[in-house]
Amino acid sequence: MAAHRCGFLPPLFILCALSVLTVTWTQETIPLGSHRAAAADSKPTDTKSVAQTTEQLAVEQRQWEATEVEEATSAAAAVSKQDNSSPEDVVQTSTPKPKDEFQEELVVRPLHSGDIYASFQFRTLWQTDFTRERKVSHYGLFPKSLGQVISKFSVRELHISFTQGYWRTMQWGQPFLSSPPGAELWVWFQDTVTDVDGTWKELANVLSGIFCASLNFIDSTNTVQPTASFKPLGIGNVTDHRFLRYATLPREIVCTENLTPWKKLLPCGTKAGLAVLLKSEKLFHSSFYSQAVHIRPVCQDWQCKTASWELRQTLNVVFDLHNSGQGKREWSLFKMFSRTLTEACPLASTSKIYIDVTDNPEGEQFELSPATALLSQAVVLGDRRTFSVYDLTQQITFGTVRSLNVLMRWKSSEGDMLRPLLHAERYVAGYGLQTGEIHTLMYNNHPYRSFPVLLLDSVPWYLRMYIHTLTVTSKGKDNKPSYIHYQPSKDRVRPHLLEMLVQLPPNSVTEVTVEFERALLKWTEYTPDPNHGFYVGSSVISSLVPSLVALDTNSTWQRPLFSTFFPCKEESSYFVRVYTEPLLVNLPTPDFSMPYNVICLTCTVVAVGYGSLYNLLTRTFQIEEPSPGLAKRP
Amino acid sequence: HTAGCFITDNVGQFFSSGHTNNWAVLVCTSRFWFNYRHVANTLSVYRSVKRLGIPDSHIVLMLADDMACNHRNPKPATVFSHKNMELNVYGDDVEVDYRGYEVTVENFLRVLTGRLPPSTPRSKRLLSDDRSNILIYLTGHGGNGFLKFQDSEEISNVELADAFEQMWQKRRYNELLFIIDTCQGASMYERFYSPNLMALASSQVGEDSLSHQPDVGIGVHLMDRYTFYLLEFLEDIHPASKTCMNDLFKVCPKSQCVSTPGHRTDLFLRDPGSVLVTDFFGSVRKVEITMDSINLTSVVSHRKEEPAANGELQKEVYSYSDQLPVSEIIHQKPKQRDWHPPDGFILGLWTLILLVFFQTYGIKHLKHIF
């Protein structure tokens, strides 16, 4: 026996040494960034590899914490990384910047009417050098479908939004980001694009596939090229409006099939973080729902010498007090979304909830639980607001029950809402199916300041506008716009475009009226339900509104996401975009109902045919002597 | 359930169908709120087909109207199939490819035959090949020989048969199962003439398909009878089930459906008793085991970044654009319009004027002008 064991021992040692060597050799060739390989390797057969797997697990854990740590180790190991590439020749400073960054936040603002406004913002930053035209093949947190769209169609900026409902400015104040009912798409292309219209049509088709919407109805009959509105929101030094296209589809329906692909663009999906709250049954049972995707280039740092792509996904929803709140003024995350939060998204660098408590400094209006010590102030929409902050990356926020359900209970409801400074309405006047008038009203509620607004109107070709009847009046007097651009429509080719720069006097209503005539469409051009009416897209009013507090024009770092969307160039006013209601007009519609036509035709044929026949058969002609006259009478 | 089935050897059955992928085209052709049941029909088939394994990328779902987020729906983002709101067939993960006004006869035929404009996205295409089994489900209002699309146009049975023949000639399907739930549905499959087609209909010519129960809370009929019992039948099927087509033909007899469901299998090459329900409703992937070795070439080449002249950073500083540059807008030059050669009308008008001029004054006066 002993002899046998001795015989076995040397080969056994050789085998052990060989296995150790092979394991260490495979260790070194695994790139550090791939945890798949690390998982596959976890098959310890002897003590050496057991030690190595614990080391691998430690590396894996380190990967989830923060990307800076991974940078330091990978720079040391000098292996290729899995994240999308970026010039590795950048001077290796002591703390290299992360490659992709993801931030999420939720802002909850109680509205004066008892409703509650929740706004989700998800931001993914993708640091890639897009000045060099090359194919990107590595995608980290940035979704591949949108990355391919940007590179294939040479898009500089893309803004698309889907909205259901209309934002009631007078009752709810101003939203952080407004959007018109239906679908809206506006895109700035790079200046290397030669055929902008063809690229625009293809881009609309591709986006219709990504978002499950009928965006393929965007064509030249509802696309306009604004000349002064919709300046780019990202960085860039050239603004040639030939590369801008804008279109809206006011008829577009938003439902779960649009939310599903939108949620799939998020890095964590709906598994972790704030996106677990997005349940369609609650979100669509609301007064206002809007989801949007904004892609633009932004400054990478305060020096702004390099750019990175920013993808912002925003979701705004207003829950009604009576529909979702059952009449009781008490709101919580569970009541609004039927879910509570259990963790932040592990890929997010910041994950926060902001509750607007500006009207509640001492807690006299409503009571907020669980209590949080974090308070933050931000200047948003020209006003300094105070927020209670819940930081989801801290374990302590979830407490002992490991779930966070923010609850607000109202005790008293008093106080007035601050009237919004800019507000707009639009309606159709007139009667009958021949002519009409479009009235647009713009309210300036500031007591002593006047400010300029840029009105963009895009009216479909089947409402023939008579621009010579255009009047702009404020306070009863004529108000001449300082800039007018009008492009007339062409039947079945392009719509009307009217852009005006109007100065609104303080505390006044400015009314813009224009008359139109309704066209008769060809019978194949009617929709299957023509008696519903035809939609006219919302007007867009862009304006620089005076703000109540001084704004910070310097850097946008360390500021919450909802306050950094519009770039701020001057201190005393902020930029805001207001949308009016879409219009629904009836066009003269033939009666498509089959039995009515058949009855008419049959009755006509019968009347004409039978009547003639009857006359022919029964009418007899008699010769009659002319009467002698009165004189001959005796 | 296997009574009446032709039970063959398991391995033989595994490879007997000859298809490698599954597609489904589910169409609801009716608009307006009172046709809620047609959308619920289509969504319940969609739900079954997804549950049995066909992914969204292989399903083309066409809904002519939106019921879930319709303003008349008391429970938004839901479509129910059973009364008392038991089963929400709309769910949370639904992708509708064609919706609203896009559901037209032309788009439906283009999807089937594959003749779509080049910029159509992948999710709207039927990318089937000659080894695909396709399930086509149509529901709506129909008559003898036609199916109504959105109350404004119709597709006839001849057009449908011709579309299938185009698909056959372009090798776009291996086997095709066609299910239709409309009034007089059997008339739609009378004219088929391409091989490998199997068809089911909810009623014969001259009969009406009836709807199932209404829901008092929602106020409309929720489902049609045939699809309701079809859904109940499919709920018992799981991806590994061995139920065959003969059982599917027995779904909804006259006692339950009031109309007589019909089917047609004469064009189908295999015996319907040996065809599994999951051949069309599920997506069982066939795996071919090979013992050969394959050389893998590296697809992604890790490009070495050429250093942008170390130390040379970007020269220009970027900045954000001014959102409302008032002075710039006021002093904006008007856009230079491109010069176009005169239109045909203008040319014709001038030709006419010149002709009349020379007619009246004669050619000899030209020398006075020049």
Side-chain angles (χ1 to χ4, degrees):
Chain A
M1 264 310 170
H4 275 293
R5 225 183 281 155
C6 280
F8 275 132
L9 226 44
L12 196 61
F13 269 121
I14 294 169
L15 214 63
C16 277
L18 274 172
S19 61
V20 162
L21 279 171
T22 46
V23 169
T24 46
W25 177 71
T26 49
Q27 269 297 309
E28 275 165 29
T29 53
I30 292 170
L32 216 60
S34 67
H35 30 268
R36 272 197 306 268
D41 258 322
S42 51
K43 277 199 302 233
T45 47
D46 51 85
T47 51
K48 263 286 172 57
S49 46
V50 165
Q52 264 145 8
T53 36
T54 48
E55 198 189 68
Q56 281 164 42
L57 286 169
V59 166
E60 251 182 74
Q61 268 172 346
R62 267 186 284 148
Q63 278 173 341
W64 281 110
E65 274 172 13
T67 43
E68 285 99 346
V69 181
E70 193 189 40
E71 286 285 322
T73 52
S74 73
V79 288
S80 63
K81 291 155 52 65
Q82 200 187 34
D83 287 33
N84 59 338
S85 44
S86 172
E88 281 175 78
D89 52 312
V90 167
V91 177
Q92 296 280 348
T93 53
S94 51
T95 51
K97 278 214 163 70
K99 299 294 183 205
D100 277 3
E101 200 192 334
F102 176 65
Q103 296 165 320
E104 55 178 16
E105 72 178 31
L106 162 64
V107 182
V108 176
R109 189 168 101 192
L111 298 170
H112 191 69
S113 53
D115 308 325
I116 194 149
Y117 170 38
S119 169
F120 290 83
Q121 294 229 12
F122 301 94
R123 177 165 98 147
T124 310
L125 277 174
W126 183 30
Q127 289 171 13
T128 177
D129 194 358
F130 56 90
T131 51
R132 302 191 210 169
E133 308 283 319
R134 47 175 186 71
K135 285 224 185 306
V136 186
S137 53
H138 291 296
Y139 291 91
L141 299 177
F142 200 89
K144 182 174 170 185
S145 48
L146 290 180
Q148 288 181 326
V149 162
I150 299 174
S151 58
K152 181 169 180 210
F153 296 108
S154 308
V155 165
R156 188 172 138 195
E157 261 187 51
L158 187 137
H159 301 269
I160 183 167
S161 73
F162 297 95
T163 311
Q164 177 201 70
Y166 176 65
W167 183 269
R168 297 186 187 137
T169 314
M170 287 310 273
Q171 289 162 320
W172 296 342
Q174 288 279 6
F176 296 126
L177 212 62
S178 52
S179 46
E184 184 201 37
L185 172 67
W186 59 280
V187 174
W188 274 92
F189 290 98
Q190 309 268 12
D191 44 7
T192 53
V193 174
T194 44
D195 177 19
V196 182
D197 287 314
T199 319
W200 165 254
K201 185 90 179 89
E202 279 188 37
L203 175 65
N205 277 333
V206 165
L207 288 174
S208 85
I210 295 178
F211 290 106
C212 287
S214 31
L215 296 175
N216 45 316
F217 285 126
I218 291 179
D219 55 8
S220 64
T221 57
N222 46 22
T223 309
V224 290
Q225 191 183 320
T227 54
S229 315
F230 292 104
K231 295 268 184 232
L233 286 168
I235 59 179
N237 292 336
V238 178
T239 57
D240 186 356
H241 278 261
R242 278 185 299 139
F243 297 103
L244 168 65
R245 292 292 184 270
Y246 172 83
T248 61
L249 291 173
R251 188 74 203 266
E252 193 66 20
I253 306 155
V254 191
C255 208
T256 313
E257 66 251 22
N258 304 113
L259 181 61
T260 307
W262 188 92
K263 285 196 285 197
K264 288 182 182 166
L265 297 172
L266 296 170
C268 277
T270 49
K271 305 284 188 301
L274 290 171
V276 299
L277 297 175
L278 302 176
K279 288 286 155 211
S280 57
E281 284 178 13
K282 283 292 196 173
L283 286 177
F284 291 103
H285 197 50
S286 56
S287 308
F288 178 83
Y289 169 85
S290 168
Q291 66 179 53
V293 168
H294 301 277
I295 302 177
R296 58 177 180 160
V298 291
C299 293
Q300 209 174 77
D301 51 19
W302 64 273
Q303 280 176 328
C304 215
K305 294 241 170 93
T306 46
S308 55
W309 285 107
E310 179 195 75
L311 164 69
R312 266 197 207 230
Q313 290 175 254
T314 59
L315 197 141
N316 293 332
V317 60
V318 173
F319 290 105
D320 189 55
L321 176 65
H322 300 285
N323 263 341
S324 321
Q326 285 109 39
K328 209 163 108 172
R329 201 163 176 193
E330 178 190 302
W331 291 106
S332 68
L333 283 184
F334 188 77
K335 197 172 185 195
M336 292 196 279
F337 304 108
S338 69
R339 297 290 288 262
T340 58
L341 290 165
T342 49
E343 56 167 345
C345 173
L347 299 168
S349 58
T350 62
S351 175
K352 295 194 170 134
I353 299 184
Y354 293 86
I355 314 281
D356 190 336
V357 293
T358 322
D359 300 321
N360 193 31
E362 309 298 322
E364 69 271 5
Q365 279 230 349
F366 62 86
E367 172 202 326
L368 185 63
S369 68
T372 176
L374 293 170
L375 274 180
S376 130
Q377 284 209 333
V379 177
V380 60
L381 295 172
D383 196 11
R384 186 176 300 279
R385 312 287 294 181
T386 318
F387 297 91
S388 292
V389 184
Y390 294 87
D391 191 351
L392 298 176
T393 48
Q394 312 288 331
Q395 240 345 84
I396 194 167
T397 320
F398 297 103
T400 46
V401 296
R402 298 216 186 273
S403 94
L404 173 66
N405 181 20
V406 179
L407 177 64
M408 288 174 279
R409 210 177 275 120
W410 262 262
K411 292 183 263 197
S412 68
S413 55
E414 62 218 17
D416 284 324
M417 186 185 74
L418 208 61
R419 279 223 311 196
L421 292 174
L422 176 63
H423 167 55
E425 282 171 3
R426 195 173 177 214
Y427 56 89
V428 171
Y431 59 90
L433 289 176
Q434 170 99 10
T435 53
E437 272 182 31
I438 299 182
H439 291 245
T440 310
L441 294 149
M442 295 181 283
Y443 296 84
N444 176 355
N445 293 325
H446 200 281
Y448 53 85
R449 291 272 301 268
S450 74
F451 50 84
V453 298
L454 190 57
L455 172 68
L456 171 78
D457 245 327
S458 158
V459 178
W461 63 267
Y462 40 80
L463 296 188
R464 303 212 165 99
M465 299 224 292
Y466 292 114
I467 287 293
H468 69 278
T469 58
L470 174 71
T471 59
V472 183
T473 47
S474 315
K475 288 179 173 168
K477 293 194 303 243
D478 222 7
N479 183 354
K480 191 157 157 10
S482 16
Y483 170 79
I484 300 188
H485 171 77
Y486 174 65
Q487 188 183 51
S489 70
K490 220 166 170 185
D491 268 7
R492 301 177 181 87
V493 170
R494 52 162 203 254
H496 299 271
L497 173 65
L498 178 64
E499 270 186 280
M500 294 197 296
L501 183 67
V502 183
Q503 192 82 8
L504 298 185
N507 209 12
S508 66
V509 180
T510 306
E511 186 168 348
V512 177
T513 55
V514 63
E515 284 179 26
F516 66 86
E517 188 184 70
R518 299 168 210 236
L520 187 65
L521 301 177
K522 292 183 185 166
W523 73 284
T524 48
E525 288 172 346
Y526 286 98
T527 54
D529 51 352
N531 290 302
H532 179 90
F534 289 79
Y535 281 89
V536 177
S538 318
S539 304
V540 187
I541 294 161
S542 324
S543 152
L544 281 174
V545 179
S547 77
L548 298 166
V549 296
L551 303 166
D552 181 13
T553 54
N554 286 334
S555 80
T556 57
W557 299 110
Q558 311 306 328
R559 271 168 55 183
L561 290 175
F562 58 89
S563 60
T564 59
F565 191 67
F566 289 114
C568 185
K569 288 277 184 166
E570 42 174 307
E571 288 185 346
S572 57
S573 50
Y574 64 97
F575 178 76
V576 76
R577 207 170 265 149
V578 174
Y579 291 91
T580 61
E581 304 98 322
L583 302 174
L584 187 60
V585 292
N586 265 321
L587 291 184
T589 307
D591 194 338
F592 291 109
S593 56
M594 185 260 298
Y596 171 78
N597 292 342
V598 168
I599 291 169
C600 280
L601 196 66
T602 317
C603 289
T604 312
V605 166
V606 166
V608 171
Y610 176 72
S612 320
L613 204 61
Y614 179 83
N615 276 335
L616 271 174
L617 292 176
T618 56
R619 197 161 35 192
T620 57
F621 293 93
Q622 290 170 341
I623 300 172
E624 193 177 333
E625 297 296 328
S627 57
L630 288 163
K632 289 264 177 89
R633 289 251 211 141
Chain B
H1 264 306
T2 53
C5 266
F6 192 78
I7 301 172
T8 57
D9 187 30
N10 271 352
V11 174
Q13 182 124 50
F14 193 70
F15 288 108
S16 70
S17 68
H19 72 280
T20 57
N21 55 73
N22 282 84
W23 287 81
V25 178
L26 311 172
V27 184
C28 159
T29 59
S30 303
R31 176 164 275 277
F32 305 122
W33 173 247
F34 50 83
N35 290 320
Y36 182 103
R37 59 189 189 279
H38 296 140
V39 173
N41 288 350
T42 319
L43 286 172
S44 51
V45 177
Y46 172 76
R47 175 204 140 78
S48 312
V49 146
K50 257 181 96 156
R51 195 176 52 82
L52 292 172
I54 303 187
D56 267 317
S57 53
H58 283 226
I59 303 177
V60 177
L61 178 61
M62 301 170 79
L63 297 179
D65 201 0
D66 169 55
M67 300 302 166
C69 289
N70 197 317
H71 295 296
R72 292 186 182 189
N73 194 349
K75 305 244 326 155
T78 58
V79 173
F80 293 107
S81 61
H82 288 64
K83 70 173 181 200
N84 299 326
M85 303 181 190
E86 282 166 19
L87 180 60
N88 174 17
V89 288
Y90 195 58
D92 216 8
D93 183 20
V94 58
E95 286 185 18
V96 181
D97 301 304
Y98 287 84
R99 54 185 208 160
Y101 297 131
E102 292 180 290
V103 179
T104 56
V105 174
E106 185 191 337
N107 281 348
F108 175 59
L109 291 178
R110 280 186 186 276
V111 164
L112 287 185
T113 53
R115 291 154 66 177
L116 288 159
S119 53
T120 317
R122 278 183 76 106
S123 57
K124 288 184 165 179
R125 287 179 189 257
L126 178 66
L127 297 165
S128 56
D129 51 30
D130 63 325
R131 300 279 292 270
S132 312
N133 274 12
I134 308 182
L135 165 72
I136 297 187
Y137 177 83
L138 290 174
T139 181
H141 289 290
N144 190 357
F146 67 91
L147 170 63
K148 204 164 65 149
F149 265 70
Q150 291 209 46
D151 221 9
S152 66
E153 50 182 2
E154 295 137 16
I155 185 173
S156 65
N157 48 5
V158 176
E159 283 176 357
L160 195 57
D162 287 341
F164 288 155
E165 175 64 16
Q166 267 199 52
M167 286 173 79
W168 174 252
Q169 294 198 359
K170 288 166 98 162
R171 299 281 177 267
R172 278 172 69 79
Y173 69 91
N174 176 36
E175 285 167 352
L176 202 144
L177 175 64
F178 174 76
I179 305 182
I180 183 160
D181 187 354
T182 62
C183 303
Q184 308 192 49
S187 62
M188 289 304 283
Y189 61 64
E190 276 172 359
R191 299 296 196 108
F192 289 173
Y193 55 93
S194 318
N196 265 346
L197 292 176
M198 194 186 316
L200 279 122
S202 59
S203 55
Q204 301 293 334
V205 176
E207 284 180 345
D208 286 337
S209 285
L210 301 177
S211 57
H212 201 59
Q213 31 171 283
D215 180 290
V216 186
I218 299 180
V220 283
H221 286 260
L222 294 182
M223 282 270 268
D224 276 333
R225 281 175 189 253
Y226 182 74
T227 314
F228 182 81
Y229 291 107
L230 180 69
L231 175 67
E232 280 197 358
F233 174 80
L234 288 174
E235 289 285 305
D236 290 332
I237 309 278
H238 55 89
S241 125
K242 293 272 174 270
T243 323
C244 61
M245 278 298 174
N246 283 339
D247 298 316
L248 191 63
F249 298 152
K250 293 197 199 107
V251 162
C252 207
K254 195 167 162 98
S255 54
Q256 281 175 327
C257 257
V258 185
S259 57
T260 319
H263 56 92
R264 179 179 177 175
T265 53
D266 56 317
L267 293 166
F268 205 73
L269 295 176
R270 283 195 291 152
D271 177 24
S274 67
V275 179
L276 298 176
V277 169
T278 50
D279 276 354
F280 291 102
F281 284 88
S283 178
V284 181
R285 302 291 166 88
K286 305 287 195 291
V287 175
E288 291 181 6
I289 301 172
T290 172
M291 292 300 177
D292 308 327
S293 65
I294 301 171
N295 282 337
L296 291 172
T297 53
S298 145
V299 175
V300 177
S301 54
H302 295 279
R303 296 177 48 166
K304 264 291 160 257
E305 302 302 327
E306 60 274 11
N310 263 336
E312 181 226 343
L313 301 161
Q314 302 292 75
K315 297 131 313 219
E316 43 176 329
V317 177
Y318 294 114
S319 61
Y320 288 98
S321 324
D322 208 353
Q323 290 299 302
L324 194 67
V326 178
S327 50
E328 198 186 300
I329 291 173
I330 294 175
H331 298 114
Q332 209 168 356
K333 278 205 303 277
K335 197 172 63 151
Q336 299 296 335
R337 302 182 80 235
D338 304 324
W339 183 81
H340 290 291
D343 224 1
F345 173 73
I346 304 291
L347 272 176
L349 194 65
W350 277 106
T351 316
L352 193 67
I353 292 171
L354 283 171
L355 272 175
V356 169
F357 177 78
F358 289 125
Q359 193 92 26
T360 42
Y361 294 108
I363 293 288
K364 58 187 188 321
H365 286 275
L366 262 183
K367 61 179 190 296
H368 293 288
I369 304 168
F370 295 112

